[in-house]
Amino acid sequence: MSINKALTIAGSDSGGGAGIQADLKTFQELGVYGMSVITAVTAQNTLGVQGVFPMSAQAVEQQLASIGADLRPDALKTGMLFSSEIIQIVAAAIRSYNWERIVVDPVMIAKGGASLLQQEAIDAMLHHLLPLADVVTPNIPEAEALSGIVITDSASRQQAAKRIHEYGCQHVMIKGGHEADTVYATDLLYDGKTFTEFSSRRLHTPHTHGTGCTFAAAIASGLAQGLSANEALRLAKNFIHAAIAEPLYIGSGHGPTNHWAYQRGVRAGAASSDVIIVNNDAYAGGTR
Ligand SMILES: Nc1ncnc2c1ncn2[C@@H]1O[C@H](COP(=O)(O)OP(=O)(O)O)[C@@H](O)[C@H]1O
Ligand SMILES: Cc1ncc(COP(=O)(O)O)c(N)n1
């Protein structure tokens, strides 16, 4: 039996809902073997981030070298990278080992407001990591920081996606968790030609800690198993929707999502998809 392997390069969340912990849980649930390179340790729970302790450059380099020498990932995702130095080390490893199927979740700020990326590292993200990415998954504030465009409506969101795409990534998915829409949570995909919307019902819950990490890890799981980017995004949207829909009610703040929920639904024969996909060709060809 051949086992597909996925690597997460991200920060540790002691509370278990986001970061490395969310990624490994997602990989396991989606049937891929999970590996990790830890870039920072955070002291964190559902109430917020109490401490951030970046790993040394040498520690990150050696973890990457250990993976590179023995365990070629079929796909990888990056999360919290913290500094320009760590971003450059990660980008150099991806290039030197010729790793493919790269998902970049440009984590910047935790939901409680703690900074997980130094401001000056945004430039390194744009110039070193985005050109290597198959899929980049900013939320709305991250898309604004990467593109320099303030997102107020669907036209400005499309402009931001186009601007980010210019840095050389194959697909830009601007996630809609932070949108004002009270009915749908809509993620906008741009592949350089066409805009596609992935919508699901918005779930009204405070338990959304780790949604972005889980979503990106699910994309990497799909890519590791040979799915196309579109198929992997659809899988990820269904996975995160199920994970938010059935919260675990853990902790007294913003609780984690439920990484078991998607497979439980599959085993119970739940309807195949909650996600509505709209491929709007009217947006194609650079008309907006
Ligand atoms: N309240 C919600 N209901 C349904 N889906 C959500 C909700 N919040 C976030 N999502 C989905 O979770 C994924 C992660 O989005 P988002 O929360 O914007 O990322 P981040 O954690 O990086 O801020 C996206 O697919 C988004 O549409
Ligand atoms: C170590 C770490 N990485 C990432 C996040 C972002 O979490 P979210 O996915 O909720 O935006 C986090 N809170 N902690």
Side-chain angles (χ1 to χ4, degrees), residues 18-277:
I20 290 281
Q21 288 77 2
D23 297 342
L24 291 176
K25 290 171 193 179
T26 304
F27 292 161
Q28 185 77 13
E29 283 295 303
L30 288 173
V32 297
Y33 178 82
M35 305 176 290
S36 64
V37 166
I38 299 186
T39 56
V41 170
T42 70
Q44 193 172 172
N45 55 26
T46 66
L47 300 171
V49 178
Q50 290 84 38
V52 174
F53 306 92
M55 303 298 285
S56 67
Q58 192 194 4
V60 176
E61 260 165 0
Q62 278 198 13
Q63 293 176 78
L64 290 162
S66 295
I67 304 276
D70 188 34
L71 295 158
R72 182 178 176 78
D74 296 295
L76 71 82
K77 66 142 290 205
T78 67
M80 173 186 181
L81 296 176
F82 189 70
S83 67
S84 158
E85 185 181 30
I86 293 180
I87 290 174
Q88 291 183 53
I89 289 169
V90 168
I94 292 172
R95 283 196 307 267
S96 94
Y97 296 113
N98 197 20
W99 286 336
E100 294 173 313
R101 292 174 285 280
I102 314 294
V103 181
V104 172
D105 181 17
V107 171
M108 293 181 191
I109 296 172
K111 293 218 166 69
S115 175
L116 303 178
L117 183 76
Q118 293 171 336
Q119 183 64 27
E120 64 271 20
I122 293 178
D123 223 43
M125 175 87 71
L126 289 170
H127 295 287
H128 295 283
L129 210 49
L130 259 49
L132 305 175
D134 287 293
V135 185
V136 56
T137 60
N139 61 26
I140 287 177
E142 289 159 356
E144 291 182 331
L146 292 173
S147 67
I149 291 169
V150 178
I151 299 177
T152 51
D153 54 14
S154 73
S156 49
R157 194 159 164 192
Q158 288 161 17
Q159 267 173 10
K162 281 188 167 178
R163 179 73 55 83
I164 295 167
H165 189 267
E166 283 167 11
Y167 287 93
C169 47
Q170 302 299 309
H171 300 84
V172 181
M173 181 72 146
I174 302 187
K175 298 171 294 188
H178 298 246
E179 242 182 340
D181 189 332
T182 55
V183 181
Y184 293 106
T186 301
D187 304 340
L188 177 71
L189 173 67
Y190 182 59
D191 64 4
K193 283 204 265 237
T194 307
F195 289 101
T196 307
E197 290 181 350
F198 292 66
S199 280
S200 63
R201 269 178 308 110
R202 180 169 295 273
L203 299 158
H204 297 280
T205 167
H207 303 304
T208 55
H209 177 58
T211 50
C213 306
T214 301
F215 181 68
I219 302 169
S221 305
L223 295 181
Q225 294 177 97
L227 298 188
S228 69
N230 265 272
E231 291 165 340
L233 285 161
R234 187 189 179 106
L235 167 71
K237 184 73 174 147
N238 278 306
F239 189 92
I240 192 60
H241 189 82
I244 301 170
E246 292 178 37
L248 297 169
Y249 302 104
I250 285 174
S252 42
H254 292 282
T257 69
N258 179 348
H259 295 93
W260 290 298
Y262 175 81
Q263 289 297 12
R264 276 191 192 158
V266 169
R267 281 194 296 273
S272 64
S273 173
D274 274 326
V275 175
I276 307 153
I277 297 178

